[in-house]
Amino acid sequence: MSDNKFNFCPNCGGKNIEYRNGKKWFCPDCQFDLYNNVASATGAVIYDSNNTVLFEVRAKNPRKGFLALPGGFTDRDETAEEAVVRECAEETGYKISEVKYLCSFPNDYEYRGIAYKTCDLFFAVKLPDGTSVQELIKQLSNEKSEVVSFEAHKIESEADVENLPLAFSSANKALKKWLSEKA
């Protein structure tokens, strides 16, 4: 992933914009600073008592057609917990209630030629006893612009995680963390 490049200052239109230390753009003409801050995103490891996990097949880039955990970007003035509940409801139609913080990992998210750095916060969501991910999938309604379909995959080893066509490296790491905490 390459650094984002601006040809013009977004404040004054000057052509001398500089990208400094991988952290900010600076315009020496008007002294404008634009920081390249990290965005926060969330993901939910929704699982049942058989260690079967819910996945979405992504409907759009980046990584269209690959598997992802339900979740998405945090909105302004929203906690990570609120974001994961909202995103899951939007993408799946399923309203999760009890979330347990699992871990966070940095991630690269390239969209339409712009490189975003994210900090992905993951939460574990255990389905009620007697409810399987396969049964849950029958009840879900996908947000068609975000999700093609849903899949259930049993995760019992790191090899199971490695064999999944995951969209993002942070999800790979989060699933391994989830697995290690279940052991």
Side-chain angles (χ1 to χ4, degrees):
M1 183 175 338
S2 62
D3 289 332
N4 299 325
K5 183 176 180 184
F6 292 108
N7 294 320
F8 301 97
C9 171
N11 188 51
C12 74
K15 294 183 180 181
N16 296 320
I17 192 127
E18 304 166 1
Y19 190 57
R20 295 185 172 175
N21 302 321
K23 293 183 179 183
K24 72 175 184 174
W25 294 270
F26 176 74
C27 178
D29 296 338
C30 70
Q31 306 301 301
F32 178 74
D33 289 313
L34 176 64
Y35 286 88
N36 191 10
N37 292 327
V38 172
S40 65
T42 62
V45 179
I46 301 173
Y47 66 99
D48 62 24
S49 58
N50 294 318
N51 290 342
T52 302
V53 176
L54 174 68
F55 293 92
E56 302 172 342
V57 178
R58 290 182 56 80
K60 66 181 186 179
N61 282 317
R63 311 283 288 167
K64 180 179 180 177
F66 284 78
L67 297 180
L69 296 168
F73 286 100
T74 308
D75 285 345
R76 293 174 190 237
D77 300 321
E78 184 177 51
T79 68
E81 292 83 357
E82 291 167 339
V84 75
V85 169
R86 177 188 51 76
E87 283 285 346
C88 283
E90 288 175 3
E91 293 178 353
T92 69
Y94 179 65
K95 178 131 179 165
I96 57 177
S97 55
E98 192 172 321
V99 298
K100 179 185 172 207
Y101 177 76
L102 178 63
C103 59
S104 66
F105 289 102
N107 192 32
D108 293 323
Y109 190 92
E110 188 165 342
Y111 183 66
R112 294 187 178 181
I114 302 291
Y116 298 92
K117 291 291 192 178
T118 65
C119 179
D120 296 349
L121 298 105
F122 294 93
F123 297 86
V125 180
K126 186 172 189 309
L127 293 176
D129 288 339
T131 303
S132 71
V133 169
Q134 289 88 349
E135 290 169 359
L136 177 64
I137 287 174
K138 294 175 189 173
Q139 303 168 26
L140 299 180
S141 58
N142 58 316
E143 183 180 24
K144 303 218 183 310
S145 65
E146 299 281 332
V147 180
V148 172
S149 61
F150 301 103
E151 294 185 8
H153 291 275
K154 193 169 186 128
I155 308 290
E156 294 184 316
S157 69
E158 286 194 8
D160 292 336
V161 176
E162 290 298 327
N163 289 326
L164 293 171
L166 293 170
F168 304 110
S169 63
S170 60
N172 177 297
K173 294 172 186 170
L175 286 165
K176 289 177 181 174
K177 174 75 172 169
W178 169 77
L179 193 60
S180 73
E181 288 195 0
K182 294 197 64 55

